[in-house]
Amino acid sequence: MCESFKREYQLCEEIGRGRFGVVYRCYNPSSTEDSDTPLAVKSIDKRLFLDDETDRECLDKEPKILHLLSPHPNILQIHNLFDSDTHLLIVTDLCQEETLYERIISNGPFSEPDAAAIFCQLAEALAHCHRNYVAHRDIKPDNILFDSRNRLKLCDFGSAEWFGAGDREMRGVVGTPYYVAPEVLSGKDYNEKADVWSAGVILYIMLGGVPPFYGETVEETFEAVLRGNLRFPARIFRNVSTQARDLLRKMMCKDVSRRFSAEQVLRHPWVTSGGLANM
């Protein structure tokens, strides 16, 4: 651990491990603001990524993007950063261990008001990202956490990218099967609306319990995404409102020019009613 971190924070138990490092609980005993607030610190050994330029870029980019987007109630907030020759320490909000993915697995399909309570926060986070010209590019339930007050926190901006106000196009196949937008897979330029597609997939899964596009293999899943044939099987969606299905169609519209932006999602009646439209 960096000596400067040790002078400011008290390190507690390990709470998780991932590809890029170890996460611990910590707190700042001398800070009026943070003394009673448990935080998390991700310790990253930079020596593990000396030969991987892509991973090094992710390590450099994520803290900068989190700083740009903070503070926002639905985006993981970065509280401090310590950078030494060997380690990068990122102090952030402390969240529950359970991700949205695990909630979906344990709870099955959500009621529309319960789905809206989560989804509306995700839409707010996306709109904030896009207002600041940041595309997340890997929206999926695994990257959605919850704090101690059960507020949604969008995290893992390692694949995120800035896009300019005038030049909104991006390139590069990033994302996760089931959730990635078809234009990303096509290898063509794309814009921030790829995030909206991915958020639509999450909402579909929360309401229906299954992904809208899938196959027996990754290749078959990608083929289904590229076809973009959105359906609402009666046995699964018979109790889902027409407003919810209308929102899903507008978020997972293959024609990007007609697909909703995050701002339009926030103004949709299903969102503004908290999932109570047509109920």
Side-chain angles (χ1 to χ4, degrees):
M1 285 288 176
C2 303
E3 289 302 319
S4 54
F5 171 85
K6 293 179 181 178
R7 287 193 295 269
E8 195 166 337
Y9 290 91
Q10 178 67 49
L11 189 68
C12 301
E13 73 277 10
E14 178 183 323
I15 56 176
R17 285 178 176 262
R19 179 183 168 206
F20 286 113
V22 184
V23 182
Y24 302 89
R25 189 172 65 86
C26 70
Y27 67 94
N28 185 339
S30 62
S31 168
T32 303
E33 178 183 352
D34 293 336
S35 59
D36 296 325
T37 305
L39 301 168
V41 57
K42 181 190 286 188
S43 175
I44 301 166
D45 187 341
K46 297 194 295 185
R47 294 168 296 187
L48 300 176
F49 307 104
L50 292 176
D51 299 324
D52 194 318
E53 185 176 347
T54 300
D55 284 344
R56 288 203 313 275
E57 287 179 359
C58 289
L59 294 182
D60 291 338
K61 187 188 301 179
E62 185 170 18
K64 294 176 183 177
I65 287 178
L66 286 175
H67 267 304
L68 172 67
L69 298 175
S70 293
H72 187 277
N74 300 124
I75 293 175
L76 189 72
Q77 182 172 346
I78 186 167
H79 292 265
N80 218 328
L81 186 70
F82 300 88
D83 196 357
S84 72
D85 291 339
T86 59
H87 284 79
L88 178 67
L89 303 179
I90 307 174
V91 181
T92 66
D93 298 324
L94 177 68
C95 293
Q96 302 174 37
E97 291 185 30
E98 185 182 55
T99 66
L100 177 57
Y101 175 81
E102 290 157 336
R103 289 193 180 189
I104 291 171
I105 294 298
S106 60
N107 295 336
F110 290 67
S111 70
E112 291 191 40
D114 287 347
I118 294 172
F119 178 79
C120 293
Q121 296 179 76
L122 175 59
E124 290 282 4
L126 280 186
H128 181 70
C129 290
H130 296 171
R131 288 183 206 117
N132 286 278
Y133 306 111
V134 171
H136 186 283
R137 302 204 301 173
D138 196 16
I139 299 294
K140 60 182 177 181
D142 315 62
N143 288 337
I144 296 172
L145 303 174
F146 301 90
D147 67 12
S148 59
R149 289 187 279 178
N150 214 32
R151 290 182 303 186
L152 179 146
K153 296 285 184 177
L154 180 61
C155 69
D156 198 347
F157 284 77
S159 298
E161 188 60 86
W162 284 285
F163 57 90
D167 180 15
R168 305 175 75 89
E169 301 299 317
M170 291 166 280
R171 294 188 71 87
V173 179
V174 295
T176 302
Y178 298 125
Y179 306 100
V180 66
E183 65 269 20
V184 176
L185 291 178
S186 72
K188 300 177 182 177
D189 290 351
Y190 55 89
N191 62 29
E192 73 277 10
K193 286 186 180 181
D195 286 344
V196 176
W197 175 286
S198 302
V201 174
I202 291 176
L203 179 58
Y204 186 104
I205 293 173
M206 283 198 290
L207 295 174
V210 295
F213 313 106
Y214 58 90
E216 294 297 323
T217 64
V218 171
E219 290 76 14
E220 289 180 2
T221 298
F222 285 161
E223 288 172 4
V225 171
L226 285 167
R227 287 194 296 273
N229 187 12
L230 183 63
R231 295 177 178 176
F232 300 99
R235 61 184 177 81
I236 297 174
F237 281 87
R238 61 180 177 275
N239 295 321
V240 175
S241 70
T242 56
Q243 286 283 15
R245 282 177 280 175
D246 178 71
L247 175 58
L248 288 168
R249 288 190 187 95
K250 288 171 177 172
M251 293 182 72
M252 288 182 284
C253 177
K254 193 174 178 183
D255 183 346
V256 179
S257 67
R258 293 173 51 232
R259 187 184 307 162
F260 263 19
S261 67
E263 297 285 358
Q264 288 175 303
V265 169
L266 288 174
R267 296 194 296 268
H268 190 275
W270 189 85
V271 172
T272 58
S273 71
L276 297 175
N278 285 3
M279 293 186 71

